[in-house]
Amino acid sequence: MDNLIEGAGLVFQLQVLLAIAAGTFLGLVLGALPGLSAAMAIALLLPLTFGMPPVMGIGMLLGSLCGTIAGGSVSATLLNIPGTPSSVATTLDAFPMARRGEAGRALGIAIVASFVGGIFSAIVLSLLAPPIANFALLFGAAEYFSLSIFGLVIIASVSRSLLKGIIAGLIGLLLSTVGLDPVAGVTRFTYGSPSLLSGINLLPALIGLFAVSQVIADVIEHLTPGKADASKAAMDRARPRWREVLRGWKTLIVSSSIGTLIGAIPGAGGSIASFLSYDQAKRMSKTPAAFGSGHPEGIVASESSNNALVGGALIPMLTLGIPGEAATAVLMGGLMIQGIRPGPTLFTDQGAIIYGIFIAFFVANIFMLLFQSLGIRLFVKVLDMPRSLLLALISVFCVIGVYSVDSDIFNVYLMLAFGVLGYFLNRYGFGTAPVILGLILGPIAESNLQRSLLLSGGDWSVLLTRPISLAFLLVAAAFLAFTLWQQKKPTQGPDTSVPDPAP
């Protein structure tokens, strides 16, 4: 109780509330812009958190995460272009509603569903995270190594291609070996550069892989946003549709539960959660044939699920130090930059901070509801910004943010190199999420492997004789086997691709 009261005191300060509000607002704006992911939004805001107290900085990043996921529904509704990957399922029913002049209604449903899903996952996070942390206290070096391998296998197995996902993860692991050996202190792959002695700086890698790579892709592919053609009358009627959403409370609860559960599985991702919830809502509905033609339940299922995923993804990140998906991997980087190492000891050593983070997550969802309710038309105007201007602003912010960390021009070059790497990884279907997770989890796996071998006198069987370690390795192997079997099966099922926007 003392930690809860102290955590509330850390959050309910004017400057902290303003930081959370600013992060949420910027997240909503970035989420409404097609192609800008939640991970990219957090990466762009990371430099702004330097010098902030931990709860203030992390609260701002949590606000941007909640806002980005919720903001993706704006362009998904108006343009049939998902603002974030987790908003793909939203387009299936929100855009048909907008085409028949119900854009305001669709956005109002999305607002309430997003808020309820986020609050649901925040409650689950607050109730389940401490027990999971107590269980995690049983972990030793062998368990943490196996857990790191499990996290890497999961993110690789949910990639479009298992082989490409594994290769991308191995690239991240290789890059994580740059610098001094964590135990022996031997210099590796620095090539005489003093900037690499402490390893690859996380911020240039994050911004390069998620932000610069997207800028390069947009410049090369000449991407330009469409115009929001929704009628002003429809926009004027946009307001939260509480009664309409709560009428389908079964869909709301089931979808929020699915989103929270999928979020707690490392590497699953928002698009998987939203499509699973959408499919389940369709099966539960009395009018399944209406889905895909502008059914409100489809919007409720998708938006409540992908916002509930945020709280679920925070559970393994905070308790075990394993990011739930790409955006929380970037958020975990923000925690580490703040000097906070996620894991079970966080709950015992910094209890007030962890409860402050929980409360900040609740507050971020409240700000998300407020800003979405009041600022829908503003977000639509942002979509009309020329893409060339947007790309120029993003590029300037990236360079300034990375250079300001250590005032080292080498970090800018490193960011550009990661941007080029990220572009080619995305272009050829490898993805950047496994790379950044490999970069984060690599040092954890390496140091704990060396520690476990030192403690066991070099006996590798310690990884198999400890029950929890063995369980993680077996589950990782099972995920790999299941993924191989699934990819060899003929693809069946309904087409969940997003239809092309109407001319």
Side-chain angles (χ1 to χ4, degrees), residues 347-365:
F347 287 76
T348 55
D349 298 342
Q350 296 174 298
I353 290 180
I354 197 69
Y355 279 102
I357 292 174
F358 290 164
I359 296 171
F361 185 46
F362 277 98
V363 173
N365 278 281

Side-chain angles (χ1 to χ4, degrees), residues 407-445:
S407 298
D408 188 354
I409 193 65
F410 180 81
N411 285 334
V412 178
Y413 299 145
L414 193 62
M415 176 194 71
L416 295 175
F418 272 102
V420 174
L421 174 64
Y423 167 74
F424 283 107
L425 287 172
N426 287 324
R427 179 176 180 181
Y428 293 105
F430 289 87
T432 55
V435 177
I436 200 63
L437 288 178
L439 190 60
I440 290 176
L441 296 177
I444 300 174

Side-chain angles (χ1 to χ4, degrees), residues 306-338:
N306 61 32
N307 283 272
L309 178 127
V310 176
L314 292 176
I315 294 176
M317 188 201 75
L318 292 174
T319 60
L320 304 176
I322 301 295
E325 38 88 47
T328 45
V330 186
L331 182 62
M332 181 174 170
L335 284 167
M336 296 172 67
I337 291 171
Q338 288 279 353

Side-chain angles (χ1 to χ4, degrees), residues 186-264:
V186 178
T187 303
R188 305 175 300 189
F189 306 117
T190 60
Y191 302 102
S193 172
S195 299
L196 291 175
L197 285 176
S198 58
I200 292 178
N201 194 309
L202 193 59
L203 186 63
L206 291 172
I207 294 183
L209 286 172
F210 290 101
V212 177
S213 63
Q214 185 65 48
V215 171
I216 295 174
D218 285 0
V219 170
I220 292 177
E221 298 172 18
H222 304 287
L223 296 180
T224 55
K227 300 296 181 180
D229 293 328
S231 66
K232 292 184 178 180
M235 291 307 303
D236 289 339
R237 293 195 299 269
R239 64 181 185 276
R241 301 280 177 161
W242 287 95
R243 184 176 301 178
E244 190 168 357
V245 172
L246 295 178
R247 192 182 301 137
W249 60 271
K250 291 183 180 179
T251 298
L252 198 60
I253 293 176
V254 171
S255 300
S256 298
S257 301
I258 292 175
T260 305
L261 178 62
I262 296 299

Side-chain angles (χ1 to χ4, degrees), residues 60 81 184 198 342 379 381:
M60 185 177 189
I81 304 174
S198 58
F379 301 144
K381 291 181 180 179

Side-chain angles (χ1 to χ4, degrees), residues 94-474:
F95 185 66
M97 289 181 68
R99 289 188 63 187
R100 63 177 186 241
E102 296 180 311
R105 180 189 175 202
L107 288 170
I109 292 171
I111 289 171
V112 176
S114 298
F115 173 73
V116 174
I119 292 296
F120 179 93
S121 68
I123 294 172
V124 174
L125 170 67
S126 303
L127 295 177
L128 295 186
I132 294 175
N134 291 331
F135 168 73
L137 288 173
L138 302 174
F139 285 25
E143 286 77 12
Y144 269 110
F145 168 76
S146 300
L147 181 61
S148 300
I149 298 302
F150 172 69
L152 291 169
V153 166
I154 292 296
I155 190 62
S157 65
V158 298
S159 301
R160 291 184 179 181
S161 167
L162 176 62
L163 178 61
K164 290 182 177 180
I166 292 176
I167 291 174
L170 290 176
I171 292 174
L173 286 176
L174 177 62
L175 293 172
S176 72
T177 63
V178 174
L180 296 175
D181 184 284
V183 176
V186 178
T187 303
R188 305 175 300 189
F189 306 117
T190 60
Y191 302 102
S193 172
S195 299
L196 291 175
L197 285 176
S198 58
I200 292 178
N201 194 309
L202 193 59
L203 186 63
L206 291 172
I207 294 183
L209 286 172
F210 290 101
V212 177
S213 63
Q214 185 65 48
V215 171
I216 295 174
D218 285 0
V219 170
I220 292 177
E221 298 172 18
H222 304 287
L223 296 180
T224 55
K227 300 296 181 180
D229 293 328
S231 66
K232 292 184 178 180
M235 291 307 303
D236 289 339
R237 293 195 299 269
R239 64 181 185 276
R241 301 280 177 161
W242 287 95
R243 184 176 301 178
E244 190 168 357
V245 172
L246 295 178
R247 192 182 301 137
W249 60 271
K250 291 183 180 179
T251 298
L252 198 60
I253 293 176
V254 171
S255 300
S256 298
S257 301
I258 292 175
T260 305
L261 178 62
I262 296 299
I265 300 175
S271 57
I272 295 176
S274 59
F275 272 117
L276 281 176
S277 299
Y278 187 89
D279 179 69
Q280 186 61 36
K282 186 175 181 179
R283 294 175 185 274
M284 293 170 53
S285 176
K286 297 179 179 179
T287 56
F291 279 72
S293 60
H295 198 342
E297 286 188 27
I299 303 174
V300 171
S302 175
E303 286 300 306
S304 61
S305 178
N306 61 32
N307 283 272
L309 178 127
V310 176
L314 292 176
I315 294 176
M317 188 201 75
L318 292 174
T319 60
L320 304 176
I322 301 295
E325 38 88 47
T328 45
V330 186
L331 182 62
M332 181 174 170
L335 284 167
M336 296 172 67
I337 291 171
Q338 288 279 353
I340 302 173
R341 180 167 291 278
T345 57
L346 179 62
F347 287 76
T348 55
D349 298 342
Q350 296 174 298
I353 290 180
I354 197 69
Y355 279 102
I357 292 174
F358 290 164
I359 296 171
F361 185 46
F362 277 98
V363 173
N365 278 281
I366 294 173
F367 278 126
M368 177 189 72
L369 174 66
L370 177 64
F371 289 143
Q372 274 198 305
S373 301
L374 298 177
I376 292 176
R377 282 173 288 181
L378 174 62
F379 301 144
V380 174
K381 291 181 180 179
V382 172
L383 291 175
D384 291 335
M385 180 184 296
R387 192 67 172 181
S388 58
L389 176 59
L390 178 65
L391 295 177
L393 290 174
I394 290 175
S395 301
V396 170
F397 289 144
C398 288
V399 172
I400 293 175
V402 168
Y403 181 77
S404 63
V405 178
D406 299 316
S407 298
D408 188 354
I409 193 65
F410 180 81
N411 285 334
V412 178
Y413 299 145
L414 193 62
M415 176 194 71
L416 295 175
F418 272 102
V420 174
L421 174 64
Y423 167 74
F424 283 107
L425 287 172
N426 287 324
R427 179 176 180 181
Y428 293 105
F430 289 87
T432 55
V435 177
I436 200 63
L437 288 178
L439 190 60
I440 290 176
L441 296 177
I444 300 174
E446 181 184 13
S447 60
N448 283 288
L449 176 60
Q450 293 192 38
R451 284 174 52 208
S452 62
L453 292 178
L454 286 173
L455 292 173
S456 64
D459 185 6
W460 286 78
S461 64
V462 68
L463 302 175
L464 303 177
T465 54
R466 296 178 65 91
I468 298 178
S469 174
L470 176 62
F472 278 120
L473 293 176
L474 290 176

